Amino acid sequence: MVAIPSRHRSLVLLTGVIVLQLLLLAVQVKRDSQGRLIRVWTVGAVAPFERAGARFFGGIRGVWDHYFALQNASRENERLRHENDTLKLQINQLQSKAAEADRLAALLSFHQGHQSVPMLAARVIGASAAAASQTVYLDRGERDGIRRNMAVITPDGVVGKIVESYRDTAQVLLLTDKDSGVGAMLAESRIQSPVGGVGEPLLAMKYVANDDVVNLGEHVVTSGMDRIFPRDLPVGTVVQIKPGNPFKQIRIQPAAKLERLEEVIVLLSLQPLDLRKESGMPAAEGTGKIPPGQVKMEKP
Amino acid sequence: MNETYETFDLRVGESHIEVHKFRGGAIVLATVVALFLQTSVPVYFPRFAVLDLPLLVTIYFGLSRRNPSTGLLLGMVIGLLQDSLSGPTVPLGLYGIAKTVVGYLASSIGARLDTEHPVARFALTIVFFAVHQSLITLTRRLLLVQPQVWFNLRLGVAAAVNAIIAVFLFMLLDRLRKN
């Protein structure tokens, strides 16, 4: 056996450790597995601390929001007054549009049309440990009926889907993640195209032809084609359009506040949902927020 | 600060190399706290995600322990834990490999240079952040065939922020050394 000089031992160890991890990577790519066992152990060990941390940091933020932030109350008041005037104008415009009334009616009937769909409110207790991944952890898991590929939403819009479900915790892949995607369509023109994340705050709508007309500010809703999200849930708003080859480069501002998630709703169903079929209504047009009071769910 | 360092007989050229020892469980505690903060704080303060605390812990203990073998093993463990607490975009081994190399390099450099001065720590953190990011990009592009930028303004800002925080964090971690 060849003796390794002591000064080279660490180099040999480095090579061995890297080769082992390369093999681990290769196995995951080849088998399309994610090393579930190791993840279960790690998440199981960290989740209790995250729960405690969620309460602690939530308290800190409460103090900040209700005390320190009041120092800016005067400026905030001025801004809100201006915002109020703008909103009044918007309300007048909204009232004059019959089509948008239909949209609101469709969204108001969301709960009535899906009474058979159990929903579960869950608290966000943790985020991804790596900036390259856009995920969050929930305080509910398999014991509460959460399974992989269930849709996660807020009253504002689509959040993402469950990618891993552990005993008391579940991991949500946010729409902004590079691997994320949702079947979507433009609310007015009904042009369908998947919307996905690019690892940044804005989403991308990928396959809209240059000939198609898309307007800034146009709402994007779910199409239901991915068989995960019900049709006509708000996805976001078009904020950037550039010509591309062969498709337009469209950026979407997510409807849900993905960077400030605290509580979400998990749709406890793996069956594809059809809003029109269940609510007995024609296809809803446009988009908007789901009134929180309209979503019946189990208490967290 | 009246710290006493254990001095081992490691010599490079003419300079003595001081290898620091830490209180029992200090490394484990620092690692767990770093991972906990990394996964918890961004939920309430999203901009905190720009920090890579596990990387800073890897760099610090690498520079202090000055033993390449323990440095790379610590980097591997921290990296794999970080991988397992991330989403499916991050396969096990992605951060593991990057932090293994950073742990090795930090330990090796720590055995040759004075890494106690804040300016040295600031500069080294920027260099290691760049190495770490380059390794992740390289792994993604070559092994996982995924698009990944080499550098952008956001990463530049992240490197600077991490380096500034590192200076203060390392001072805090210095208190975990055995007196």
Side-chain angles (χ1 to χ4, degrees), chain B residues 5-75:
Chain B
Y5 304 138
E6 290 193 25
T7 304
F8 287 71
D9 192 20
L10 295 173
R11 281 168 178 264
V12 178
E14 295 300 315
S15 60
H16 285 276
I17 302 300
E18 295 167 329
V19 178
H20 305 296
K21 286 205 163 186
F22 293 87
R23 298 171 200 275
I27 297 178
V28 175
L29 182 71
T31 302
V32 170
V33 169
L35 285 168
F36 164 69
L37 291 177
Q38 193 70 45
T39 58
S40 296
V41 181
V43 174
Y44 301 93
F45 307 98
R47 289 187 183 175
F48 188 89
V50 77
L51 286 179
D52 192 339
L53 290 181
L55 174 66
L56 300 187
V57 169
T58 305
I59 294 171
Y60 176 78
F61 286 112
L63 291 175
S64 300
R65 295 281 300 184
R66 294 166 182 177
N67 180 330
S69 297
T70 55
L72 73 91
L73 288 175
L74 179 67

Side-chain angles (χ1 to χ4, degrees), chain B residues 96-118:
Chain B
I97 291 172
K99 284 190 168 57
T100 301
V101 175
V102 167
Y104 176 81
L105 291 177
S107 307
S108 304
I109 288 174
R112 288 169 172 76
L113 298 174
D114 170 27
T115 56
E116 299 296 306
H117 196 280

